[in-house]
Amino acid sequence: IICGELENEKFGDYDCVKEEIRITRNIRRDCELIPLSDHQIETTFLHELIHVMQWHSGKEFSEEEAQTYSGMLYEFLKTKKDE
C-alpha cells in the first residue's frame, strides 16, 4: 500500500497481522513535506519485503540484514541483462 505519509518519519513498514507492506510517498520533517524519489520508494519496498521473509522464517527482524539484502537486490534488478 502506498500512503501519503507514515508516523515517525518512517519510509515504510510491514504489518504481520494484516500481511501488508506500507510505503510512504512523503516524509514530514519539521513543517516541510518532502517527497521521496522513485529510487527511495523502490528500495524501501525491497527493504520491507526482506522483513516479510525474516518474519516468516523466524519472526525476528534485523535492520542490518534488511538494508544489506535490499540494497543488493535493488542493484541486481537494476543492472541485470535481459536475454
Side-chain angles (χ1 to χ4, degrees), residues 3 6-7 11 17-18 23 28-29 33-34 38 43 46 54-55 58 61 65 67 70 72 76 78 80-81:
C3 306
L6 296 172
E7 62 282 345
F11 283 42
V17 174
K18 293 182 179 179
I23 308 294
R28 183 171 301 282
R29 174 135 326 136
L33 193 61
I34 304 165
D38 289 342
T43 56
L46 294 172
Q54 289 173 333
W55 171 257
F61 293 113
E65 279 185 6
Q67 196 63 25
S70 63
M72 292 167 56
F76 169 77
K78 291 298 180 182
K80 72 178 179 67
K81 297 189 187 317

Side-chain angles (χ1 to χ4, degrees), residues 10 12-22 48-61:
K10 290 202 287 188
D13 64 18
Y14 168 59
D15 184 330
C16 60
V17 174
K18 293 182 179 179
E19 291 288 324
E20 184 175 274
I21 293 175
R22 297 184 311 159
E48 296 306 327
L49 183 60
I50 298 298
H51 282 317
V52 171
M53 291 185 271
Q54 289 173 333
W55 171 257
H56 286 284
S57 67
K59 299 187 178 19
E60 290 187 26
F61 293 113

Side-chain angles (χ1 to χ4, degrees), residues 23 37-47 70 74 78:
I23 308 294
S37 68
D38 289 342
H39 173 263
Q40 289 171 308
I41 291 170
E42 290 168 9
T43 56
T44 299
F45 173 77
L46 294 172
H47 178 99
S70 63
Y74 180 82
K78 291 298 180 182

